[in-house]
Amino acid sequence: MRFRHPDGTTVHLAYCSNVHAAEDLDGVMAQLARYAEPVREELGADLLGIGLWLARDVVAELSADPTAVSRLRAGLLARGLETVSLNAFPYEGFQRAIVKKDVYRPDWADEERLRYTLACARVLAGLLPDDALRGSVSTLPLGWRTPWPADRADTARRALDRLASGLAAIHRDTGRRIRAAFEPEPGCVVEDTAGAAAEFGGLDPDTLGVCLDTCHLAVQFEDPDQALRRLAAAGVAVVKTQASCAVEAAAPADPATRAALARFVEQRFLHQTRTAPGGTVRGVDDLPEALAGALPADSPWRVHYHVPLDAVPEPPLRTTAPVLGAALEGLFGGPATVCDHIEVETYTWSVLPEGQRPYGDQGLVTGLAAELAWVRRTLLALGLTSVRKEIVT
């Protein structure tokens, strides 16, 4: 979906396809018919954005055959879909049985991460709608924090220079501008906006910036207004926003609260858990560690567990939807928009606690549409207007 900000900027809203398991091109094409087009129809939208996750093998297939890119682009158009952003954080196997820390491999000290990201950017240049100003590719914030010795840190920083050069070459070759967006995440080398300002300040904002994930922002107990001011002061562009919510427990020592949290323990994804007594953030790498006593329980916990934006979890738990709302207001509620790509990224539908998971394909379609409708209502309330676009196939 597209929206017009009062300053004239076109803002693109999409949902991220990493919620679906597909690691070949045929599987990606099937997603468009099975999920994305029905989501668009349920929303009553003439055009729906889909932030594609293209695993390594899919990108290799598309890179080897330009006609495959044309086939994917035609498939998007035929179903009333568009892609202006790729999620290139996961490399492969994102919906397999156990992912955990594997999602951070390869990191930016590994040559393969640079190759994969530039290949994604070149594919995106071929998928962008003709009237899109630019595209974005989100990626991990350098790597997991350990081990991260000085030599790997130096290698990663040099890779960023090569990334910027490679994106500039794509712009020269295709006329399409693609920006890379590093996504701060708890537990990583860059886990918050302070780290992003320190690591990415001074980089060319027309090429490199950050992907602001509002679940991660909340888990780190960051204030959205302060976070945005910090990035702006450092000259770091917010290239992309991932609209997402975390789980929050106001009283984690309470037995009923702990029982409710225990139902979120699962084996596929990492659920970093944080608390901030006295304003000092403390954390562990996964929810079971916190429940086992590794995290103080005398102040609220926030858990890196992407839950549906419109969800009302089992009491006494709640979500960080207020942080998401404040972030969207800071990004889009002022006289000038800060960002033009929004991606709803709830990839955990299949591992939600029993009773909260969608039933069948239609359940997932309905859930995804409800999240997008929530963001649409929020943007309209902030003064943006819907933009209809004729689809030419």
Side-chain angles (χ1 to χ4, degrees), residues 355-391:
Q356 299 180 39
R357 298 174 194 171
Y359 180 76
D361 288 358
Q362 184 55 50
L364 180 56
V365 166
T366 297
L368 292 169
E371 291 193 285
L372 288 160
W374 188 98
V375 179
R376 176 170 60 186
R377 289 193 301 272
T378 301
L379 294 178
L380 294 176
L382 290 172
L384 282 72
T385 55
S386 293
V387 175
R388 297 190 65 84
K389 182 178 186 297
E390 181 181 355
I391 307 299

PDB file of all heavy atoms in Angstrom, residues 355-391:
ATOM      1  N   GLY A 355      -3.314 -21.739  20.823  1.00  0.00           N
ATOM      2  CA  GLY A 355      -4.485 -20.899  21.018  1.00  0.00           C
ATOM      3  C   GLY A 355      -4.331 -19.509  20.449  1.00  0.00           C
ATOM      4  O   GLY A 355      -5.325 -18.801  20.269  1.00  0.00           O
ATOM      5  N   GLN A 356      -3.082 -19.107  20.154  1.00  0.00           N
ATOM      6  CA  GLN A 356      -2.838 -17.797  19.563  1.00  0.00           C
ATOM      7  C   GLN A 356      -2.363 -17.907  18.112  1.00  0.00           C
ATOM      8  O   GLN A 356      -2.204 -16.896  17.437  1.00  0.00           O
ATOM      9  CB  GLN A 356      -1.804 -17.026  20.389  1.00  0.00           C
ATOM     10  CG  GLN A 356      -2.242 -16.770  21.830  1.00  0.00           C
ATOM     11  CD  GLN A 356      -1.208 -16.012  22.632  1.00  0.00           C
ATOM     12  OE1 GLN A 356      -0.553 -15.088  22.137  1.00  0.00           O
ATOM     13  NE2 GLN A 356      -1.038 -16.380  23.894  1.00  0.00           N
ATOM     14  N   ARG A 357      -2.111 -19.117  17.660  1.00  0.00           N
ATOM     15  CA  ARG A 357      -1.655 -19.317  16.285  1.00  0.00           C
ATOM     16  C   ARG A 357      -2.838 -19.278  15.322  1.00  0.00           C
ATOM     17  O   ARG A 357      -3.936 -19.688  15.668  1.00  0.00           O
ATOM     18  CB  ARG A 357      -0.955 -20.672  16.156  1.00  0.00           C
ATOM     19  CG  ARG A 357       0.280 -20.811  17.006  1.00  0.00           C
ATOM     20  CD  ARG A 357       0.847 -22.214  16.942  1.00  0.00           C
ATOM     21  NE  ARG A 357       1.829 -22.424  18.003  1.00  0.00           N
ATOM     22  CZ  ARG A 357       2.366 -23.596  18.298  1.00  0.00           C
ATOM     23  NH1 ARG A 357       2.021 -24.673  17.611  1.00  0.00           N
ATOM     24  NH2 ARG A 357       3.245 -23.693  19.285  1.00  0.00           N
ATOM     25  N   PRO A 358      -2.598 -18.816  14.100  1.00  0.00           N
ATOM     26  CA  PRO A 358      -3.683 -18.810  13.110  1.00  0.00           C
ATOM     27  C   PRO A 358      -4.005 -20.228  12.654  1.00  0.00           C
ATOM     28  O   PRO A 358      -3.136 -21.104  12.659  1.00  0.00           O
ATOM     29  CB  PRO A 358      -3.111 -17.970  11.972  1.00  0.00           C
ATOM     30  CG  PRO A 358      -1.621 -18.144  12.096  1.00  0.00           C
ATOM     31  CD  PRO A 358      -1.353 -18.252  13.571  1.00  0.00           C
ATOM     32  N   TYR A 359      -5.246 -20.438  12.257  1.00  0.00           N
ATOM     33  CA  TYR A 359      -5.658 -21.751  11.783  1.00  0.00           C
ATOM     34  C   TYR A 359      -5.652 -21.762  10.260  1.00  0.00           C
ATOM     35  O   TYR A 359      -6.451 -21.089   9.613  1.00  0.00           O
ATOM     36  CB  TYR A 359      -7.053 -22.090  12.307  1.00  0.00           C
ATOM     37  CG  TYR A 359      -7.546 -23.442  11.859  1.00  0.00           C
ATOM     38  CD1 TYR A 359      -7.061 -24.609  12.449  1.00  0.00           C
ATOM     39  CD2 TYR A 359      -8.492 -23.551  10.836  1.00  0.00           C
ATOM     40  CE1 TYR A 359      -7.503 -25.857  12.032  1.00  0.00           C
ATOM     41  CE2 TYR A 359      -8.933 -24.792  10.416  1.00  0.00           C
ATOM     42  CZ  TYR A 359      -8.439 -25.937  11.010  1.00  0.00           C
ATOM     43  OH  TYR A 359      -8.870 -27.170  10.595  1.00  0.00           O
ATOM     44  N   GLY A 360      -4.734 -22.523   9.679  1.00  0.00           N
ATOM     45  CA  GLY A 360      -4.675 -22.689   8.234  1.00  0.00           C
ATOM     46  C   GLY A 360      -4.255 -21.427   7.505  1.00  0.00           C
ATOM     47  O   GLY A 360      -3.947 -20.392   8.100  1.00  0.00           O
ATOM     48  N   ASP A 361      -4.266 -21.520   6.179  1.00  0.00           N
ATOM     49  CA  ASP A 361      -3.849 -20.396   5.344  1.00  0.00           C
ATOM     50  C   ASP A 361      -4.714 -19.169   5.576  1.00  0.00           C
ATOM     51  O   ASP A 361      -4.213 -18.044   5.672  1.00  0.00           O
ATOM     52  CB  ASP A 361      -3.909 -20.782   3.867  1.00  0.00           C
ATOM     53  CG  ASP A 361      -2.809 -21.745   3.460  1.00  0.00           C
ATOM     54  OD1 ASP A 361      -1.962 -22.094   4.315  1.00  0.00           O
ATOM     55  OD2 ASP A 361      -2.806 -22.164   2.282  1.00  0.00           O
ATOM     56  N   GLN A 362      -6.034 -19.380   5.663  1.00  0.00           N
ATOM     57  CA  GLN A 362      -6.927 -18.237   5.810  1.00  0.00           C
ATOM     58  C   GLN A 362      -6.701 -17.530   7.139  1.00  0.00           C
ATOM     59  O   GLN A 362      -6.785 -16.303   7.223  1.00  0.00           O
ATOM     60  CB  GLN A 362      -8.385 -18.661   5.689  1.00  0.00           C
ATOM     61  CG  GLN A 362      -9.369 -17.506   5.741  1.00  0.00           C
ATOM     62  CD  GLN A 362      -9.080 -16.443   4.694  1.00  0.00           C
ATOM     63  OE1 GLN A 362      -8.906 -16.751   3.519  1.00  0.00           O
ATOM     64  NE2 GLN A 362      -9.037 -15.175   5.104  1.00  0.00           N
ATOM     65  N   GLY A 363      -6.383 -18.287   8.175  1.00  0.00           N
ATOM     66  CA  GLY A 363      -6.097 -17.667   9.465  1.00  0.00           C
ATOM     67  C   GLY A 363      -4.892 -16.758   9.390  1.00  0.00           C
ATOM     68  O   GLY A 363      -4.893 -15.655   9.959  1.00  0.00           O
ATOM     69  N   LEU A 364      -3.841 -17.217   8.684  1.00  0.00           N
ATOM     70  CA  LEU A 364      -2.647 -16.384   8.542  1.00  0.00           C
ATOM     71  C   LEU A 364      -2.948 -15.159   7.685  1.00  0.00           C
ATOM     72  O   LEU A 364      -2.522 -14.037   8.008  1.00  0.00           O
ATOM     73  CB  LEU A 364      -1.503 -17.192   7.928  1.00  0.00           C
ATOM     74  CG  LEU A 364      -0.189 -16.450   7.721  1.00  0.00           C
ATOM     75  CD1 LEU A 364       0.325 -15.845   9.022  1.00  0.00           C
ATOM     76  CD2 LEU A 364       0.870 -17.371   7.112  1.00  0.00           C
ATOM     77  N   VAL A 365      -3.673 -15.335   6.596  1.00  0.00           N
ATOM     78  CA  VAL A 365      -4.046 -14.202   5.735  1.00  0.00           C
ATOM     79  C   VAL A 365      -4.813 -13.163   6.536  1.00  0.00           C
ATOM     80  O   VAL A 365      -4.530 -11.955   6.466  1.00  0.00           O
ATOM     81  CB  VAL A 365      -4.883 -14.703   4.540  1.00  0.00           C
ATOM     82  CG1 VAL A 365      -5.574 -13.534   3.836  1.00  0.00           C
ATOM     83  CG2 VAL A 365      -4.000 -15.465   3.556  1.00  0.00           C
ATOM     84  N   THR A 366      -5.768 -13.611   7.328  1.00  0.00           N
ATOM     85  CA  THR A 366      -6.566 -12.682   8.127  1.00  0.00           C
ATOM     86  C   THR A 366      -5.687 -11.952   9.147  1.00  0.00           C
ATOM     87  O   THR A 366      -5.844 -10.741   9.362  1.00  0.00           O
ATOM     88  CB  THR A 366      -7.695 -13.440   8.844  1.00  0.00           C
ATOM     89  OG1 THR A 366      -8.560 -14.009   7.853  1.00  0.00           O
ATOM     90  CG2 THR A 366      -8.497 -12.514   9.743  1.00  0.00           C
ATOM     91  N   GLY A 367      -4.770 -12.682   9.772  1.00  0.00           N
ATOM     92  CA  GLY A 367      -3.883 -12.063  10.753  1.00  0.00           C
ATOM     93  C   GLY A 367      -2.965 -11.028  10.140  1.00  0.00           C
ATOM     94  O   GLY A 367      -2.791  -9.928  10.686  1.00  0.00           O
ATOM     95  N   LEU A 368      -2.367 -11.349   8.992  1.00  0.00           N
ATOM     96  CA  LEU A 368      -1.479 -10.398   8.322  1.00  0.00           C
ATOM     97  C   LEU A 368      -2.255  -9.158   7.870  1.00  0.00           C
ATOM     98  O   LEU A 368      -1.772  -8.025   8.010  1.00  0.00           O
ATOM     99  CB  LEU A 368      -0.806 -11.067   7.123  1.00  0.00           C
ATOM    100  CG  LEU A 368       0.198 -12.179   7.440  1.00  0.00           C
ATOM    101  CD1 LEU A 368       0.580 -12.934   6.172  1.00  0.00           C
ATOM    102  CD2 LEU A 368       1.449 -11.605   8.110  1.00  0.00           C
ATOM    103  N   ALA A 369      -3.460  -9.372   7.347  1.00  0.00           N
ATOM    104  CA  ALA A 369      -4.271  -8.238   6.903  1.00  0.00           C
ATOM    105  C   ALA A 369      -4.638  -7.340   8.076  1.00  0.00           C
ATOM    106  O   ALA A 369      -4.651  -6.103   7.944  1.00  0.00           O
ATOM    107  CB  ALA A 369      -5.532  -8.744   6.196  1.00  0.00           C
ATOM    108  N   ALA A 370      -4.914  -7.935   9.230  1.00  0.00           N
ATOM    109  CA  ALA A 370      -5.272  -7.131  10.404  1.00  0.00           C
ATOM    110  C   ALA A 370      -4.096  -6.267  10.855  1.00  0.00           C
ATOM    111  O   ALA A 370      -4.286  -5.106  11.270  1.00  0.00           O
ATOM    112  CB  ALA A 370      -5.727  -8.042  11.541  1.00  0.00           C
ATOM    113  N   GLU A 371      -2.887  -6.805  10.782  1.00  0.00           N
ATOM    114  CA  GLU A 371      -1.707  -6.011  11.148  1.00  0.00           C
ATOM    115  C   GLU A 371      -1.531  -4.832  10.200  1.00  0.00           C
ATOM    116  O   GLU A 371      -1.281  -3.692  10.632  1.00  0.00           O
ATOM    117  CB  GLU A 371      -0.458  -6.882  11.096  1.00  0.00           C
ATOM    118  CG  GLU A 371      -0.360  -7.940  12.162  1.00  0.00           C
ATOM    119  CD  GLU A 371       1.027  -8.523  12.208  1.00  0.00           C
ATOM    120  OE1 GLU A 371       1.368  -9.311  11.308  1.00  0.00           O
ATOM    121  OE2 GLU A 371       1.792  -8.189  13.135  1.00  0.00           O
ATOM    122  N   LEU A 372      -1.647  -5.087   8.912  1.00  0.00           N
ATOM    123  CA  LEU A 372      -1.490  -4.018   7.935  1.00  0.00           C
ATOM    124  C   LEU A 372      -2.591  -2.974   8.088  1.00  0.00           C
ATOM    125  O   LEU A 372      -2.335  -1.770   7.954  1.00  0.00           O
ATOM    126  CB  LEU A 372      -1.497  -4.606   6.524  1.00  0.00           C
ATOM    127  CG  LEU A 372      -0.241  -5.396   6.156  1.00  0.00           C
ATOM    128  CD1 LEU A 372      -0.506  -6.338   4.982  1.00  0.00           C
ATOM    129  CD2 LEU A 372       0.913  -4.450   5.816  1.00  0.00           C
ATOM    130  N   ALA A 373      -3.800  -3.425   8.394  1.00  0.00           N
ATOM    131  CA  ALA A 373      -4.902  -2.486   8.617  1.00  0.00           C
ATOM    132  C   ALA A 373      -4.627  -1.603   9.830  1.00  0.00           C
ATOM    133  O   ALA A 373      -4.966  -0.415   9.844  1.00  0.00           O
ATOM    134  CB  ALA A 373      -6.214  -3.244   8.786  1.00  0.00           C
ATOM    135  N   TRP A 374      -3.999  -2.183  10.864  1.00  0.00           N
ATOM    136  CA  TRP A 374      -3.629  -1.411  12.063  1.00  0.00           C
ATOM    137  C   TRP A 374      -2.669  -0.290  11.692  1.00  0.00           C
ATOM    138  O   TRP A 374      -2.834   0.868  12.108  1.00  0.00           O
ATOM    139  CB  TRP A 374      -3.002  -2.342  13.089  1.00  0.00           C
ATOM    140  CG  TRP A 374      -2.743  -1.752  14.438  1.00  0.00           C
ATOM    141  CD1 TRP A 374      -3.519  -1.858  15.557  1.00  0.00           C
ATOM    142  CD2 TRP A 374      -1.596  -0.957  14.831  1.00  0.00           C
ATOM    143  NE1 TRP A 374      -2.942  -1.185  16.613  1.00  0.00           N
ATOM    144  CE2 TRP A 374      -1.767  -0.632  16.197  1.00  0.00           C
ATOM    145  CE3 TRP A 374      -0.457  -0.504  14.170  1.00  0.00           C
ATOM    146  CZ2 TRP A 374      -0.839   0.134  16.905  1.00  0.00           C
ATOM    147  CZ3 TRP A 374       0.469   0.264  14.864  1.00  0.00           C
ATOM    148  CH2 TRP A 374       0.269   0.574  16.212  1.00  0.00           C
ATOM    149  N   VAL A 375      -1.645  -0.612  10.885  1.00  0.00           N
ATOM    150  CA  VAL A 375      -0.682   0.416  10.471  1.00  0.00           C
ATOM    151  C   VAL A 375      -1.356   1.434   9.571  1.00  0.00           C
ATOM    152  O   VAL A 375      -1.122   2.640   9.687  1.00  0.00           O
ATOM    153  CB  VAL A 375       0.539  -0.214   9.764  1.00  0.00           C
ATOM    154  CG1 VAL A 375       1.516   0.872   9.318  1.00  0.00           C
ATOM    155  CG2 VAL A 375       1.247  -1.198  10.689  1.00  0.00           C
ATOM    156  N   ARG A 376      -2.219   0.972   8.679  1.00  0.00           N
ATOM    157  CA  ARG A 376      -2.930   1.904   7.787  1.00  0.00           C
ATOM    158  C   ARG A 376      -3.736   2.922   8.598  1.00  0.00           C
ATOM    159  O   ARG A 376      -3.670   4.125   8.315  1.00  0.00           O
ATOM    160  CB  ARG A 376      -3.841   1.124   6.828  1.00  0.00           C
ATOM    161  CG  ARG A 376      -4.692   2.016   5.924  1.00  0.00           C
ATOM    162  CD  ARG A 376      -5.395   1.207   4.838  1.00  0.00           C
ATOM    163  NE  ARG A 376      -6.294   0.199   5.389  1.00  0.00           N
ATOM    164  CZ  ARG A 376      -6.932  -0.709   4.640  1.00  0.00           C
ATOM    165  NH1 ARG A 376      -6.771  -0.721   3.322  1.00  0.00           N
ATOM    166  NH2 ARG A 376      -7.735  -1.591   5.199  1.00  0.00           N
ATOM    167  N   ARG A 377      -4.479   2.441   9.584  1.00  0.00           N
ATOM    168  CA  ARG A 377      -5.266   3.365  10.419  1.00  0.00           C
ATOM    169  C   ARG A 377      -4.360   4.356  11.134  1.00  0.00           C
ATOM    170  O   ARG A 377      -4.683   5.557  11.243  1.00  0.00           O
ATOM    171  CB  ARG A 377      -6.073   2.573  11.452  1.00  0.00           C
ATOM    172  CG  ARG A 377      -7.231   1.787  10.877  1.00  0.00           C
ATOM    173  CD  ARG A 377      -8.166   1.299  11.972  1.00  0.00           C
ATOM    174  NE  ARG A 377      -7.493   0.435  12.945  1.00  0.00           N
ATOM    175  CZ  ARG A 377      -7.377  -0.887  12.820  1.00  0.00           C
ATOM    176  NH1 ARG A 377      -7.855  -1.498  11.734  1.00  0.00           N
ATOM    177  NH2 ARG A 377      -6.791  -1.594  13.768  1.00  0.00           N
ATOM    178  N   THR A 378      -3.214   3.886  11.614  1.00  0.00           N
ATOM    179  CA  THR A 378      -2.290   4.761  12.330  1.00  0.00           C
ATOM    180  C   THR A 378      -1.742   5.841  11.407  1.00  0.00           C
ATOM    181  O   THR A 378      -1.681   7.026  11.781  1.00  0.00           O
ATOM    182  CB  THR A 378      -1.141   3.942  12.934  1.00  0.00           C
ATOM    183  OG1 THR A 378      -1.683   2.956  13.833  1.00  0.00           O
ATOM    184  CG2 THR A 378      -0.167   4.827  13.686  1.00  0.00           C
ATOM    185  N   LEU A 379      -1.341   5.465  10.200  1.00  0.00           N
ATOM    186  CA  LEU A 379      -0.795   6.448   9.261  1.00  0.00           C
ATOM    187  C   LEU A 379      -1.847   7.474   8.854  1.00  0.00           C
ATOM    188  O   LEU A 379      -1.555   8.674   8.760  1.00  0.00           O
ATOM    189  CB  LEU A 379      -0.233   5.734   8.031  1.00  0.00           C
ATOM    190  CG  LEU A 379       0.981   4.832   8.266  1.00  0.00           C
ATOM    191  CD1 LEU A 379       1.392   4.148   6.961  1.00  0.00           C
ATOM    192  CD2 LEU A 379       2.152   5.605   8.850  1.00  0.00           C
ATOM    193  N   LEU A 380      -3.062   7.013   8.617  1.00  0.00           N
ATOM    194  CA  LEU A 380      -4.116   7.955   8.244  1.00  0.00           C
ATOM    195  C   LEU A 380      -4.403   8.925   9.386  1.00  0.00           C
ATOM    196  O   LEU A 380      -4.633  10.124   9.154  1.00  0.00           O
ATOM    197  CB  LEU A 380      -5.381   7.188   7.862  1.00  0.00           C
ATOM    198  CG  LEU A 380      -5.293   6.329   6.588  1.00  0.00           C
ATOM    199  CD1 LEU A 380      -6.587   5.544   6.382  1.00  0.00           C
ATOM    200  CD2 LEU A 380      -4.966   7.179   5.365  1.00  0.00           C
ATOM    201  N   ALA A 381      -4.357   8.422  10.626  1.00  0.00           N
ATOM    202  CA  ALA A 381      -4.590   9.298  11.775  1.00  0.00           C
ATOM    203  C   ALA A 381      -3.472  10.320  11.935  1.00  0.00           C
ATOM    204  O   ALA A 381      -3.686  11.403  12.514  1.00  0.00           O
ATOM    205  CB  ALA A 381      -4.712   8.458  13.051  1.00  0.00           C
ATOM    206  N   LEU A 382      -2.276  10.006  11.430  1.00  0.00           N
ATOM    207  CA  LEU A 382      -1.151  10.934  11.494  1.00  0.00           C
ATOM    208  C   LEU A 382      -1.181  11.964  10.366  1.00  0.00           C
ATOM    209  O   LEU A 382      -0.293  12.811  10.281  1.00  0.00           O
ATOM    210  CB  LEU A 382       0.172  10.161  11.460  1.00  0.00           C
ATOM    211  CG  LEU A 382       0.494   9.342  12.714  1.00  0.00           C
ATOM    212  CD1 LEU A 382       1.719   8.461  12.484  1.00  0.00           C
ATOM    213  CD2 LEU A 382       0.726  10.267  13.910  1.00  0.00           C
ATOM    214  N   GLY A 383      -2.166  11.875   9.493  1.00  0.00           N
ATOM    215  CA  GLY A 383      -2.317  12.876   8.450  1.00  0.00           C
ATOM    216  C   GLY A 383      -1.872  12.443   7.077  1.00  0.00           C
ATOM    217  O   GLY A 383      -1.940  13.236   6.124  1.00  0.00           O
ATOM    218  N   LEU A 384      -1.398  11.186   6.922  1.00  0.00           N
ATOM    219  CA  LEU A 384      -1.063  10.697   5.601  1.00  0.00           C
ATOM    220  C   LEU A 384      -2.349  10.342   4.863  1.00  0.00           C
ATOM    221  O   LEU A 384      -3.400  10.122   5.473  1.00  0.00           O
ATOM    222  CB  LEU A 384      -0.139   9.479   5.684  1.00  0.00           C
ATOM    223  CG  LEU A 384       1.346   9.760   5.970  1.00  0.00           C
ATOM    224  CD1 LEU A 384       1.561  10.210   7.405  1.00  0.00           C
ATOM    225  CD2 LEU A 384       2.208   8.535   5.663  1.00  0.00           C
ATOM    226  N   THR A 385      -2.297  10.271   3.557  1.00  0.00           N
ATOM    227  CA  THR A 385      -3.456   9.909   2.753  1.00  0.00           C
ATOM    228  C   THR A 385      -3.127   8.687   1.905  1.00  0.00           C
ATOM    229  O   THR A 385      -1.981   8.496   1.484  1.00  0.00           O
ATOM    230  CB  THR A 385      -3.890  11.065   1.839  1.00  0.00           C
ATOM    231  OG1 THR A 385      -2.766  11.484   1.044  1.00  0.00           O
ATOM    232  CG2 THR A 385      -4.385  12.245   2.649  1.00  0.00           C
ATOM    233  N   SER A 386      -4.135   7.866   1.663  1.00  0.00           N
ATOM    234  CA  SER A 386      -3.941   6.688   0.822  1.00  0.00           C
ATOM    235  C   SER A 386      -3.731   7.109  -0.628  1.00  0.00           C
ATOM    236  O   SER A 386      -4.348   8.073  -1.109  1.00  0.00           O
ATOM    237  CB  SER A 386      -5.147   5.754   0.911  1.00  0.00           C
ATOM    238  OG  SER A 386      -5.254   5.187   2.198  1.00  0.00           O
ATOM    239  N   VAL A 387      -2.878   6.378  -1.310  1.00  0.00           N
ATOM    240  CA  VAL A 387      -2.616   6.633  -2.726  1.00  0.00           C
ATOM    241  C   VAL A 387      -3.033   5.397  -3.503  1.00  0.00           C
ATOM    242  O   VAL A 387      -2.553   4.292  -3.239  1.00  0.00           O
ATOM    243  CB  VAL A 387      -1.122   6.922  -2.978  1.00  0.00           C
ATOM    244  CG1 VAL A 387      -0.852   7.075  -4.480  1.00  0.00           C
ATOM    245  CG2 VAL A 387      -0.679   8.156  -2.219  1.00  0.00           C
ATOM    246  N   ARG A 388      -3.919   5.565  -4.425  1.00  0.00           N
ATOM    247  CA  ARG A 388      -4.315   4.452  -5.288  1.00  0.00           C
ATOM    248  C   ARG A 388      -3.435   4.471  -6.526  1.00  0.00           C
ATOM    249  O   ARG A 388      -3.044   5.511  -7.029  1.00  0.00           O
ATOM    250  CB  ARG A 388      -5.790   4.575  -5.685  1.00  0.00           C
ATOM    251  CG  ARG A 388      -6.742   4.495  -4.497  1.00  0.00           C
ATOM    252  CD  ARG A 388      -8.182   4.383  -4.937  1.00  0.00           C
ATOM    253  NE  ARG A 388      -8.439   3.153  -5.645  1.00  0.00           N
ATOM    254  CZ  ARG A 388      -8.714   1.979  -5.042  1.00  0.00           C
ATOM    255  NH1 ARG A 388      -8.726   1.902  -3.716  1.00  0.00           N
ATOM    256  NH2 ARG A 388      -8.956   0.890  -5.762  1.00  0.00           N
ATOM    257  N   LYS A 389      -3.143   3.286  -7.014  1.00  0.00           N
ATOM    258  CA  LYS A 389      -2.268   3.180  -8.161  1.00  0.00           C
ATOM    259  C   LYS A 389      -2.850   2.167  -9.143  1.00  0.00           C
ATOM    260  O   LYS A 389      -3.164   1.043  -8.765  1.00  0.00           O
ATOM    261  CB  LYS A 389      -0.866   2.738  -7.749  1.00  0.00           C
ATOM    262  CG  LYS A 389       0.121   2.647  -8.910  1.00  0.00           C
ATOM    263  CD  LYS A 389       1.500   2.237  -8.382  1.00  0.00           C
ATOM    264  CE  LYS A 389       2.559   2.290  -9.500  1.00  0.00           C
ATOM    265  NZ  LYS A 389       2.276   1.324 -10.587  1.00  0.00           N
ATOM    266  N   GLU A 390      -2.957   2.555 -10.380  1.00  0.00           N
ATOM    267  CA  GLU A 390      -3.438   1.632 -11.387  1.00  0.00           C
ATOM    268  C   GLU A 390      -2.345   0.601 -11.657  1.00  0.00           C
ATOM    269  O   GLU A 390      -1.176   0.948 -11.853  1.00  0.00           O
ATOM    270  CB  GLU A 390      -3.772   2.381 -12.685  1.00  0.00           C
ATOM    271  CG  GLU A 390      -4.299   1.465 -13.781  1.00  0.00           C
ATOM    272  CD  GLU A 390      -4.605   2.230 -15.054  1.00  0.00           C
ATOM    273  OE1 GLU A 390      -4.487   3.474 -15.032  1.00  0.00           O
ATOM    274  OE2 GLU A 390      -4.938   1.590 -16.049  1.00  0.00           O
ATOM    275  N   ILE A 391      -2.734  -0.659 -11.665  1.00  0.00           N
ATOM    276  CA  ILE A 391      -1.780  -1.744 -11.923  1.00  0.00           C
ATOM    277  C   ILE A 391      -1.820  -2.076 -13.414  1.00  0.00           C
ATOM    278  O   ILE A 391      -2.873  -2.426 -13.968  1.00  0.00           O
ATOM    279  CB  ILE A 391      -2.122  -2.990 -11.104  1.00  0.00           C
ATOM    280  CG1 ILE A 391      -2.244  -2.637  -9.620  1.00  0.00           C
ATOM    281  CG2 ILE A 391      -1.073  -4.068 -11.305  1.00  0.00           C
ATOM    282  CD1 ILE A 391      -0.980  -2.074  -9.026  1.00  0.00           C
TER     283      ILE A 391
END
